[in-house]
Amino acid sequence: MKVSEAKYLSKKIMQAGEIPLLIGHFGVGKTDIAREIATETGRKLVILVLSQMESGDLIGLPARDENKTKFLAPDWWPEDGNTILLLDEINRAHRSIRNAIMQLLVDKRIHNHILPSGTWIMASMNPPDENYDQVELITDPAFLSRFFILEIHPEPAEWLSWAKKNNIETEVVDFISKYPEFLSVHELVSLKASIKPSPRSWHKLSKVLSLMTTEEKKEYSYILASGIVGPEAAKVFIDKSIAGDINTPTEILLNGNIPDKLDIHEANGLLVRLVDYITTVDDKELEKLSNMLDIVSDNLLKLSNVVPKDSFEAFVRMLVNLSNLPGLKGEFSDKILRKLINR
């Protein structure tokens, strides 16, 4: 998702009392999102770089209180609830630190210290791939289920708009305008495949959806649902409960069941689902799609006429990224791109 989308959803999630986890490569703006939300809501921002902390830094040091031991509050502990706690680099934190913050995530407390009512919590990390130093891959479903996972893919048009407002040198702006593929690293290994639905996760999803309008649900429900109940459950949930007359990715790609008109929320929501479908589809389904390349490309061109131009361009860039992968998925993406170009 774009940085602006991640910022909007993070704010909604925290307003519902839940915790967003921003995942993105270095420099995409994860910390800036937290700073901007703090500024806009008049909150103090406390950043905890967990990879640089030891257990004592997080839980405080022990002290004697008459005949009992109590832990002194660490110096970063919020003084009031008008605070955002950013738990940064959680994938680089030692297991003992992650165990300690589990209590913070679940009960909003550490030992005898209780977070002031109203404190917001968010977390961030780099993608779980070999390009980053990590203590270990986070796969514990009990840990992941505490977060709404939001994966950030910076969009060139969004960055260029930001660059012009922030006096970035003309040479840099012109270069990225001409060569948007050099804006950032494109590979992203998703944690969403590790997420499984549970009664708790459906409850968390409901709390956030309750703060959204019907139009906002159409655009963002899939992103939210896939980040808390997993992509598989999210697809069925959206198809049966939110999308209404909007067809499934398979029906769109193979049958051409595309509405004559889509509002911007429906269009963006549909493209997000298509991106996730092609990214996660298994080889058996890919073979089926590969045998119907002409039909798939015709239907994608048909779809391009009813969705925003910049949204479809983002979809095409996703295909370009996938075309560089080895195996059937890369071959399929490359062939579809060639078909689209030739038509």
Side-chain angles (χ1 to χ4, degrees), residues 20-28 30-31 50 86-93 98 122-129 132-134 136-139 143-144 147 149-152 188-191:
L21 169 55
L22 305 179
I23 301 179
H25 288 287
F26 62 92
V28 301
K30 301 186 294 296
T31 305
L50 299 182
L86 173 60
L87 309 177
D88 195 16
E89 298 188 353
I90 64 169
N91 57 327
R92 297 188 184 188
R98 291 215 305 272
M122 61 191 303
S124 63
M125 61 177 278
N126 296 126
D129 63 27
Y132 296 97
D133 181 26
Q134 301 180 71
E136 60 182 329
L137 182 63
I138 300 176
T139 58
F143 186 80
L144 291 176
F147 303 100
I149 293 178
L150 305 178
E151 296 173 343
I152 301 175
L188 183 62
V189 181
S190 177
L191 273 180

Side-chain angles (χ1 to χ4, degrees), residues 158-177:
E158 183 181 46
W159 185 87
L160 288 169
S161 176
W162 172 88
K164 292 173 183 178
K165 294 177 182 177
N166 287 272
N167 300 317
I168 301 301
E169 288 297 313
T170 303
E171 293 85 352
V172 175
V173 173
D174 290 344
F175 177 78
I176 297 300
S177 297

